[in-house]
Amino acid sequence: MAQALTAKGRATRARIVEGAAEVLRAHGVAGTTLDDIRGRTGTSKSQLFHYFPDGKDALLLAVARYEADRVLADQQPHLGRLDSWESWGRWRDVVVERYELQGDQCPLGALFLQVGRSSPGARAIVTELMRQWQEQLARGIRALQGNGLVSADLDVGRTSAALLAGIQGGVSLMMSTGDSAHLRAALDTGIEHLRLSGPGRARTSCGPGTPLP
Amino acid sequence: MAQALTAKGRATRARIVEGAAEVLRAHGVAGTTLDDIRGRTGTSKSQLFHYFPDGKDALLLAVARYEADRVLADQQPHLGRLDSWESWGRWRDVVVERYELQGDQCPLGALFLQVGRSSPGARAIVTELMRQWQEQLARGIRALQGNGLVSADLDVGRTSAALLAGIQGGVSLMMSTGDSAHLRAALDTGIEHLRLSGPGRARTSCGPGTPLP
C-alpha cells in the first residue's frame, strides 16, 4: 500500500502517523479514539481510510514502526559512531537519559499490548528493531577493534548480543522498579567488558579507567 | 489472611494454588475459569471463597507468587552454590535449559497481563523475585572472591545487577525471536566478565582489578 503512494501521499501518511504517535503518547492507547487522531492531524474519515484501509490496528502498527525507528534515532549520532571510548561513554549517557525521561511509559509496549504482542506484525517490528540495534553495536565494537582498542579475538556477535540483552533487561527492570540502576549497571559492565577484553591486557601498564589513545 | 490459617489450612491453600498453576499453564489465563480450577483441585465453591475471599485476581496473584518461587527453585541447587567456575557453568546450563523448555510461554507474564502488570501486587512480586535472584548471584560472586577466583575489588552489586539484566533481556528477546542466542550470550559474557576480572589481573600492578580510589 505505502509503496503505491505518491511523494505527497507518503508525506501525508507520515504526518498522520507522527500526529497519532503524539496523541497516543499523551493519552495512551486505551484513551485514544480514531476521532482524537483525526482531530489532532486534521484528517477526514475518508482520508484516514485511504491511508489505513485495514483500520485502527494497521494504524497502530504503523505508529509502532515509527516508535521503533525513534528508539534508534534517539541514540544518534552516538550509536552510529562508536569508534572511541569517549563516544561509547556519550552513547551510554544518552541511552540512560532517554529511558529515565521515558520513565515507566513504554510507547512500543503499550501499542503491542493492543495489537497483540505476538501478532506477526508486532513480532516483525521488534525483531527488526533488535537486529538493527545489535548490528550498530557490533559495528561499534568492530570500530574499536579497527582502532586497536579491543582485541581482534573478541567475539563481536556474542558481545553485541549480550550488550543488547543487558539493555533490554535493564529497561524492563526499570519499568518494574522505577529505578535505572540495572540499566546503568548493564551498560557500564558491558563497556567495562570491552575494555577488559582490550589489548590493554596485552600491553599491560594501563587499566580500564586509563584513557586509551 | 494466610497467616491466620492452620497448618492443614495452609496445606489446602497450597494445594489449590499448585493445582491452579498447572491448569493455568496448560490452558492459559484467558482459557481458565474458576470452575476449571475447582474441578482440577477438588475444591468446593465455599472452600475456594474461604481461601480466596477477594476472588479470582487474588488467586491469580497467589499463583504468580508460586510461579515466581519456581523461577528460583528451578535454578537450584546450583544458584545457591555458585562458588566455583564449574558450578557457574552448571547453573548457566540449567538457566538456558529452563527457558528453552518454557519456549515462548511465560506463566508469570501471562498472569501479570491479567491482574495488571503495574498493579501493586504484581510489582511487589516482580521486585521481590528480582531482589532475591540478584542477591543469590551476588552471593555467588562473593563466594568466588572468597575462593580467590575473582578480584576482591570487583563491584559485586553492579556486576550482579548487570548479569540479572542480561538474563531478563535474554529471556524477553527469546520470547520475541524464539531463539535463546541472546540469553546464552548474556550468560556466557557475564561469566567471562567475572573471569576477566579475576585475581590474575589484580596481582599485577595495573588493570581493572587494581583498586580504584
Side-chain angles (χ1 to χ4, degrees), chain B residues 146-194:
Chain B
N147 290 335
L149 296 169
V150 159
S151 161
D153 302 321
L154 185 76
D155 183 334
V156 175
R158 197 181 82 175
T159 311
S160 56
L163 185 52
L164 181 64
I167 298 170
Q168 297 313 307
V171 170
S172 107
L173 281 159
M174 192 179 152
M175 303 280 165
S176 296
T177 62
D179 182 351
S180 62
H182 287 90
L183 176 61
R184 289 166 184 270
L187 288 162
D188 291 339
T189 306
I191 294 174
E192 189 182 85
H193 185 68
L194 293 174

Side-chain angles (χ1 to χ4, degrees), chain A residues 43-66:
Chain A
T43 313
S44 69
K45 269 189 183 171
S46 66
Q47 248 184 323
L48 204 61
F49 180 78
H50 174 70
Y51 290 105
F52 299 97
D54 295 332
K56 190 175 178 185
D57 275 8
L59 172 58
L60 292 180
L61 271 181
V63 175
R65 209 164 294 125
Y66 168 80

Side-chain angles (χ1 to χ4, degrees), chain B residues 15-24 26-27 32-43:
Chain B
R15 189 175 51 74
I16 296 173
V17 170
E18 223 165 295
E22 295 312 321
V23 183
L24 288 161
H27 303 293
T32 302
T33 65
L34 282 181
D35 284 344
D36 296 332
I37 293 171
R38 289 201 305 103
R40 173 72 164 70
T41 56
T43 313

Side-chain angles (χ1 to χ4, degrees), chain A residues 104 113 123 126-127 130 134 154 158-159 161-162 164-166 168-170 172-173 175-178 182 185-186 188-189 192-193 196-197 201 204-208, chain B residues 104 113 117 123 126-127 130 134 154 158-159 161-162 164-166 168-170 172-173 175-178 181-182 185-186 188-189 192-193 196-197 201 206-208:
Chain A
D104 62 357
L113 218 53
R123 272 189 187 242
V126 175
T127 306
M130 294 304 149
Q134 186 175 330
L154 185 77
R158 199 182 80 177
T159 311
L164 181 65
Q168 299 312 307
S172 105
L173 280 158
M175 303 279 166
S176 297
T177 63
H182 286 90
D188 291 339
T189 306
E192 190 182 84
H193 186 69
L196 283 176
S197 317
R201 294 206 81 186
T204 75
S205 81
C206 55
Chain B
D104 62 356
L113 217 55
R117 195 173 289 275
R123 273 189 187 243
V126 175
T127 306
M130 293 303 149
Q134 188 175 328
L154 185 76
R158 197 181 82 175
T159 311
L164 181 64
Q168 297 313 307
S172 107
L173 281 159
M175 303 280 165
S176 296
T177 62
H182 287 90
D188 291 339
T189 306
E192 189 182 85
H193 185 68
L196 282 176
S197 317
R201 302 209 74 192
C206 60

